Amino acid sequence: TQLLEQSPQFLSIQEGENLTVYCNSSSVFSSLQWYRQEPGEGPVLLVTVVTGGEVKKLKRLTFQFGDARKDSSLHITAAQPGDTGLYLCAGGKGFGNEKLTFGTGTRLTIIP
Amino acid sequence: DAGVIQSPRHEVTEMGQEVTLRCKPISGHNSLFWYRQTMMRGLELLIYFNNNVPIDDSGMPEDRFSAKMPNASFSTLKIQPSEPRDSAVYFCASSLVRSSGNTIYFGEGSWLTVV
């Protein structure tokens, strides 16, 4: 059973455009993390949000945790080819939120 | 720091053979995780250790899979006997878990193909 559903599954847009990726669950998580994975490599952590309604910004990326801590979104402004990759959300539970359940992933391609 | 080191990076083996994947976590980290990634099922947690003790192995598919962590700097994931459906990328990851949260660092993965 996949607890975290991401949408869209695939997204291909032109450089300079804006986009939003969604991560939804019926479960409540203590924390929500976003990772980016490039071909041939492991996922790399982008951000962690822990409070319902929390918003974090990382340059052109804006992350939001839903008020009920069941969903999250990632918004990219003025996408660049370097943003291309597989974006994964992951819900954390446990003492240090170490037990992560990963989402289905969004494969993003930015066309120059 | 060298990061999480996995070996081998690529392995092709015949069905029925034993496969051993190895992992060296980041020094000082107290938790180690084994994940499997496939197109169909995404990234799945197989097992994780805290202070070298297995905490949750509910993700291990079946008895053919076993994992050990004899010390803080080494872990293995063994598949015996291997089957074609075990073909996947296996990631090892480590973190320093604290009540305030943690950051998990992934290795580059071991690409396993069972023919």
Side-chain angles (χ1 to χ4, degrees):
Chain A
T1 302
Q2 188 59 260
L3 297 179
L4 281 164
E5 296 287 340
Q6 289 185 237
S7 61
Q9 187 177 358
F10 298 94
L11 183 59
S12 184
I13 64 171
Q14 294 286 338
E15 181 178 358
E17 293 184 358
N18 302 331
L19 67 108
T20 302
V21 174
Y22 299 94
C23 173
N24 294 293
S25 173
S26 57
S27 299
V28 175
F29 292 99
S30 303
S31 68
L32 200 294
Q33 297 184 328
W34 283 92
Y35 291 78
R36 180 168 63 214
Q37 184 179 16
E38 299 188 15
E41 300 181 5
V44 175
L45 178 66
L46 296 174
V47 77
T48 300
V49 285
V50 297
T51 305
E54 182 177 1
V55 177
K56 279 192 175 179
K57 290 191 175 183
L58 184 65
K59 297 184 180 178
R60 295 175 294 100
L61 279 60
T62 301
F63 305 85
Q64 183 163 8
F65 201 8
D67 292 340
R69 291 186 289 131
K70 292 183 178 181
D71 55 85
S72 181
S73 64
L74 158 59
H75 182 79
I76 301 179
T77 303
Q80 299 179 1
D83 297 327
T84 294
L86 176 66
Y87 287 81
L88 296 161
C89 65
K93 292 186 178 181
F95 171 69
N97 299 316
E98 71 275 17
K99 185 172 181 179
L100 295 178
T101 299
F102 278 84
T104 48
T106 294
R107 194 166 295 278
L108 175 65
T109 302
I110 307 302
I111 304 167
Chain B
D1 204 317
V4 177
I5 300 173
Q6 293 187 244
S7 64
R9 282 281 281 146
H10 299 271
E11 178 152 348
V12 180
T13 190
E14 292 186 344
M15 182 174 63
Q17 295 298 306
E18 178 180 294
V19 173
T20 299
L21 307 178
R22 298 173 176 80
C23 176
K24 176 178 169 54
I26 293 173
S27 178
H29 282 187
N30 59 4
S31 288
L32 182 141
F33 309 82
W34 283 101
Y35 285 87
R36 177 173 68 177
Q37 187 173 39
T38 62
M39 287 294 293
M40 291 298 295
R41 300 177 66 87
L43 197 58
E44 303 173 282
L45 176 64
L46 300 178
I47 185 172
Y48 78 94
F49 298 81
N50 187 259
N51 293 321
N52 312 337
V53 176
I55 302 301
D56 187 337
D57 65 354
S58 59
M60 295 287 262
E62 47 197 276
D63 292 345
R64 297 185 297 107
F65 285 68
S66 62
K68 293 182 180 180
M69 191 166 185
N71 57 64
S73 59
F74 183 67
S75 177
T76 60
L77 177 66
K78 188 173 294 187
I79 308 172
Q80 167 64 20
S82 58
E83 296 182 4
R85 61 193 169 120
D86 301 330
S87 298
V89 184
Y90 291 81
F91 286 101
C92 178
S94 71
S95 71
L96 177 61
V97 176
R98 294 167 289 201
S99 59
S100 58
N102 72 98
T103 297
I104 293 181
Y105 296 86
F106 284 81
E108 293 185 320
S110 291
W111 296 65
L112 174 65
T113 302
V114 183
V115 298

